[in-house]
Amino acid sequence: MTTKLTIRRPDDWHLHLRDGAMLAAVLPETARHFARAIIMPNLVPPVVTSGDAAAYRDRIMAALPEGMSFEPLMTLYLTEDTDPADVAAAHASGLVKAVKLYPAGVTTNSASGVTNFDKVRPVLEKMAEIGLPLCIHGEVTTDHVDIFDREKVFLETVLDPLRRATPGLKVTLEHVTTAQGIDYVRESEGDIAGTITTHHLMINRNHILVGGIKPHYYCLPVAKRREHMEALRKAATSGNSRFFLGTDSAPHTDALKENACGCAGCFTATNTMSCLAHVFEEEGALDKLEAFASLNGPARYGLPANKNTISLVKEEIPVTYPEKIAAGDETVTVFDPGHPLYWRVT
């Protein structure tokens, strides 16, 4: 039985750090285990230009505690007014590693996102030309589409036509939550990959709703049926290089989560690696954890794998993590996997 596993230091290819006091609170939780992360740009106001991205990167580095090593990989928020030349210059400078597409209104701070995809075609064509990845929140926002079907409908009505209209575009379908999404990423021709979150490997919609509403399991895309969770697990643990870790760790204060209209997001940065080791052990695939967490993502983004390593040791007694962390005068609840974790990061 495996009781110790050493892997290359992992990266997170989908992370929300927020800003201000929240940034200062959550950044160390990621930097403790992760070397790099793709940083989401959905601030208020959003990170739209290369100047916005440079300023945000400076704030992140200023908030990094002394002695910690971490590299933020910056993204731009795609709007219908985004300038293709600015995007190309930001990419050429090395500052920006991807552009993020939010359909307008699809999730937290997405009001500035895209409604008319024809208006962003010049940006997408420029990105295909220069090889800059497009990260996509893959859900429609049409009122008549059930929230549990939004990803599936997006694949059919938006993503596939968009990719056909822009040959060569490098696409990352973020936080895949459905078996249909897994199949699309695995079987489609062309340059496409998919990130999978920690929490979608561990919860399904029963965890949110059975026995009372659990606001700290509410996220977008919302967790689906168990059969979809099982499809995600099979993909993550398969070793397929098109799938890799993007936690979508998304902190909100408890006051914003625990109210009549709670915010979407699970904060998983603190205990993700212990959670992943638990899942991969359950699936009999501990030997595939390094590919998922440490190798496939860098290869996708044209970066070297980290040289440093971390070790995970299986303990006889459960590993303890804080239930909450302080963020200024408020608190953020750490994701609860619902059962003990025995893998500790060393």
Side-chain angles (χ1 to χ4, degrees):
M1 182 178 68
T2 301
T3 57
K4 183 175 181 179
L5 181 67
T6 298
I7 64 173
R8 300 283 190 106
R9 192 177 175 196
D11 300 305
D12 186 348
W13 299 95
H14 184 155
L15 177 68
H16 296 270
L17 288 177
R18 313 303 190 199
D19 216 341
M22 184 66 82
L23 166 61
V26 302
L27 176 58
E29 302 299 297
T30 287
R32 188 175 295 119
H33 298 155
F34 294 88
R36 300 170 291 203
I38 284 280
I39 308 301
M40 291 296 102
N42 59 331
L43 304 181
V44 180
V47 178
V48 174
T49 68
S50 56
D52 296 336
Y56 188 26
R57 187 184 191 281
D58 289 346
R59 297 198 299 278
I60 293 170
M61 296 309 296
L64 186 66
E66 186 175 352
M68 279 191 156
S69 173
F70 177 73
E71 182 182 3
L73 307 174
M74 307 310 293
T75 65
L76 297 179
Y77 186 118
L78 183 62
T79 76
E80 293 174 8
D81 297 317
T82 294
D83 179 3
D86 183 64
V87 170
H91 173 61
S93 73
L95 171 66
V96 166
K97 304 301 184 185
V99 171
K100 178 62 180 277
L101 189 162
Y102 289 103
V106 75
T107 190
T108 302
N109 301 339
S110 61
S112 301
V114 177
T115 299
N116 185 340
F117 287 88
D118 287 336
K119 290 186 176 180
V120 298
R121 192 159 309 284
V123 179
L124 301 183
E125 290 173 351
K126 174 58 70 172
M127 291 173 61
E129 176 188 328
I130 64 179
L132 181 61
L134 178 69
C135 297
I136 297 180
H137 183 123
E139 293 188 288
V140 297
T141 57
T142 316
D143 288 342
H144 71 268
V145 176
D146 189 282
I147 191 170
F148 293 103
D149 295 329
R150 286 181 168 187
E151 180 174 290
K152 178 171 67 73
V153 173
F154 183 90
L155 301 175
E156 300 164 355
T157 64
V158 179
L159 182 56
D160 205 55
L162 183 151
R163 293 181 63 237
R164 292 179 186 278
T166 317
L169 184 63
K170 192 180 184 79
V171 170
T172 301
L173 182 62
E174 294 188 314
H175 45 47
V176 182
T177 60
T178 62
Q180 292 89 348
I182 292 297
D183 290 345
Y184 186 89
V185 171
R186 183 175 52 229
E187 298 170 7
S188 291
E189 296 182 0
D191 204 341
I192 187 165
T195 60
I196 301 174
T197 77
T198 309
H199 53 283
H200 285 117
L201 292 171
M202 304 192 84
I203 65 170
N204 56 64
R205 65 188 191 179
N206 278 0
H207 293 86
I208 306 172
L209 298 170
V210 171
I213 295 173
K214 314 298 193 306
H216 295 288
Y217 288 152
Y218 171 60
C219 55
L220 288 173
V222 69
K224 309 298 194 297
R225 292 180 181 271
R226 182 179 182 86
E227 65 199 64
H228 296 291
M229 183 186 74
E230 292 173 349
L232 298 178
R233 282 180 165 231
K234 285 183 173 60
T237 60
S238 68
N240 188 321
S241 63
R242 286 192 172 190
F243 298 105
F244 48 92
L245 176 65
T247 67
D248 193 19
S249 182
H252 293 285
T253 64
D254 289 337
L256 290 177
K257 289 290 289 181
E258 300 169 1
N259 67 41
C261 189
C263 291
C266 297
F267 177 62
T268 58
T270 302
N271 58 0
T272 272
M273 293 311 301
S274 292
C275 289
L276 290 178
H278 179 96
V279 169
F280 276 66
E281 182 181 36
E282 284 192 331
E283 297 295 322
L286 279 171
D287 61 321
K288 301 294 197 304
L289 178 56
E290 183 177 50
F292 180 71
S294 310
L295 302 179
N296 294 347
R300 173 67 179 170
Y301 282 86
L303 298 171
N306 296 308
K307 293 182 179 180
N308 294 339
T309 62
I310 65 168
S311 292
L312 293 125
V313 177
K314 190 173 185 182
E315 311 256 324
E316 292 186 359
I317 59 174
V319 181
T320 58
Y321 288 98
E323 180 183 350
K324 301 176 184 293
I325 66 166
D329 296 331
E330 302 189 75
T331 57
V332 177
T333 293
V334 175
F335 175 72
D336 177 6
H339 48 68
L341 298 170
Y342 291 92
W343 288 92
R344 176 173 57 86
V345 180
T346 64

